[in-house]
Amino acid sequence: MSDIFELCANVIEAFLIAQFFIRYFKFKNENYKILKILMFTMAVMFVVTMSNIWAYFSVHEEYIVDVTLLVIMVVFLKGRMLEKILLIFMNSIILSTTGILLTGVFGNFILYDANGYPEFGVLRVALVVLAKVIYIICTELIIRNKIEDSQYVSNTVYLKLNAAMIITAVAELFLMDIVYMSAKSSSIVSVYFVIVALVAVDAILYTLFVNLTNTSINLIKEEVKNAAYESEKKIIENMHEINKQTMIVRHDMKSKLTYIMFKLDEGDIKGAEKFLSEELDVELSDVNIISTGNRIADAILNMHAETARKQGIPFRMNITGNLGMVNEVDITIILSNLLDC
């Protein structure tokens, strides 16, 4: 009965560990989620059970579990390596601290068999349940107070935090051996105070790390948002300025076209031509050396041919096709832009 209970306790513990890391880091690939959860759970349970058979509550057991977790997380889960290592240390600290403190509190009431294993009974069941509840509370707090976006955290920061955590984890596991070897001795009361102090320091370090990092990330995002807003504001201001200049040009053009219309209405064609020549700085060719059958096209082509002749630029044209169906304004714009280029 005791062996079956221990195996069930290991399965539950393995599942709780698996769901903690999966919820924190998420799967790399969401396919076959149930199968991956089962594989994660069974791998951790197998390692814990085998370690218990080898040496119940030994330091080596926790090291083996940690390495197993790291391998599984690299295979299945997202996240940076240093962040995964940090969470593995924290997981070890939670498990070892819970085991040590519960043993310290209930050490005088725990009965051990000839092999040194706690005997199965109501107290044993209650302690296992309490340990699992404490684990759930601690991991839930970590998940609810995680770093919002770890890409903003440098590797140097993770290395420093991992250094502090590994020192604590090793110390915890060392103290765990002492407690389990002499749990009923009153001389190790001071060990419990040391453990509580170590965990308190770890909790403060991690809380400060998360809060400061998230605050920095929010400031960076706010600066990016403000920079984007300023950039968008400048674009809008430039668009307003362009629209303003366009309106001025349109107004000037309207005034000039009105003046030309008055000249033409008066029959002063020469005056209109003179005004256009001055405004456009363009002189129409007096001699038509090109004839396409379209008077607008002829005027533009002859004008550019004359300009090329005066500047000594070779100018040859080979015109095919019929422009009779093309709008005269479109011809003017297209040919002028093409020949200007």
Side-chain angles (χ1 to χ4, degrees):
M1 186 66 181
S2 178
D3 292 339
I4 295 174
F5 173 76
E6 293 298 335
L7 181 62
C8 293
N10 289 343
V11 171
I12 294 171
E13 179 178 310
F15 175 76
L16 293 178
I17 292 172
Q19 64 85 32
F20 166 52
F21 287 112
I22 291 169
R23 287 174 60 200
Y24 190 97
F25 290 105
K26 311 296 183 186
F27 284 118
K28 290 179 180 177
N29 188 324
E30 295 296 324
N31 295 333
Y32 308 109
K33 288 175 64 174
I34 302 299
L35 179 61
K36 290 175 182 177
I37 293 170
L38 288 174
M39 291 174 64
F40 201 134
T41 302
M42 295 307 294
V44 176
M45 183 276 296
F46 177 79
V47 171
V48 172
T49 301
M50 291 298 101
S51 299
N52 284 349
I53 293 173
W54 175 33
Y56 191 77
F57 280 119
S58 70
V59 174
H60 307 289
E61 174 187 347
E62 198 61 43
Y63 292 152
I64 296 170
V65 171
D66 290 347
V67 172
T68 304
L69 287 173
L70 183 59
V71 172
I72 298 172
M73 289 164 67
V74 169
V75 173
F76 289 124
L77 305 184
K78 297 177 182 178
R80 294 161 64 179
M81 180 65 74
L82 289 173
E83 188 177 10
K84 290 175 180 176
I85 293 172
L86 174 63
L87 267 293
I88 286 173
F89 285 143
M90 295 184 68
N91 181 75
S92 294
I93 291 168
I94 294 169
L95 289 173
S96 57
T97 302
T98 302
I100 293 171
L101 294 181
L102 288 180
T103 301
V105 173
F106 297 98
N108 291 325
F109 305 98
I110 299 174
L111 299 177
Y112 297 89
D113 60 20
N115 296 317
Y117 297 165
E119 290 186 355
F120 177 73
V122 175
L123 181 60
R124 176 62 182 154
V125 174
L127 287 177
V128 169
V129 171
L130 183 58
K132 304 304 180 262
V133 170
I134 293 172
Y135 182 83
I136 291 171
I137 293 171
C138 292
T139 53
E140 195 67 28
L141 288 173
I142 292 173
I143 291 172
R144 292 178 182 274
N145 294 278
K146 61 185 292 189
I147 298 168
E148 295 174 358
D149 197 341
S150 60
Q151 67 174 332
Y152 290 97
V153 186
S154 68
N155 288 332
T156 304
V157 176
Y158 272 127
L159 284 171
K160 290 178 180 177
L161 198 60
N162 275 327
M165 291 296 176
I166 193 171
I167 292 171
T168 305
V170 171
E172 289 265 1
L173 296 174
F174 175 75
L175 294 172
M176 184 170 69
D177 262 1
I178 296 175
V179 169
Y180 282 121
M181 284 188 294
S182 52
K184 297 181 180 181
S185 173
S186 59
S187 61
I188 64 165
V189 174
S190 58
V191 172
Y192 298 118
F193 288 105
V194 172
I195 292 169
V196 171
L198 287 172
V199 174
V201 169
D202 287 337
I204 293 169
L205 280 175
Y206 183 75
T207 303
L208 287 174
F209 165 67
V210 171
N211 290 337
L212 289 174
T213 302
N214 285 337
T215 301
S216 299
I217 290 171
N218 290 332
L219 288 174
I220 291 171
K221 289 182 177 179
E222 197 64 33
E223 288 178 3
V224 171
K225 190 187 298 181
N226 290 337
Y229 171 76
E230 289 298 325
S231 177
E232 187 176 346
K233 184 179 176 183
K234 287 180 181 178
I235 292 172
I236 294 172
E237 289 174 352
N238 289 336
M239 290 176 64
H240 283 312
E241 185 62 28
I242 292 170
N243 289 335
K244 181 180 176 182
Q245 295 299 325
T246 302
M247 294 301 294
I248 292 172
V249 171
R250 288 180 64 187
H251 181 267
D252 291 344
M253 184 63 70
K254 184 178 180 181
S255 300
K256 291 171 182 177
L257 290 174
T258 303
Y259 175 78
I260 294 170
M261 185 182 67
F262 286 148
K263 284 292 183 182
L264 293 174
D265 191 52
E266 292 174 353
D268 187 3
I269 296 175
K270 291 292 183 182
E273 288 179 351
K274 182 182 178 183
F275 177 77
L276 284 171
S277 296
E278 291 173 352
E279 285 293 318
L280 302 177
D281 193 24
V282 170
E283 292 184 8
L284 297 177
S285 176
D286 293 331
V287 180
N288 288 331
I289 59 175
I290 297 167
S291 179
T292 65
N294 186 301
R295 60 193 184 91
I296 295 295
D298 290 347
I300 294 170
L301 292 171
N302 280 296
M303 179 186 70
H304 283 83
E306 182 65 16
T307 302
R309 185 187 66 77
K310 289 179 179 180
Q311 297 183 11
I313 301 172
F315 190 81
R316 293 181 182 179
M317 286 179 286
N318 182 17
I319 301 171
T320 60
N322 186 356
L323 301 177
M325 300 299 293
V326 183
N327 183 282
E328 290 183 343
V329 176
D330 292 338
I331 290 175
T332 304
I333 294 171
I334 293 168
L335 284 178
S336 294
N337 287 335
L338 179 62
L339 293 169
D340 283 340
C341 292

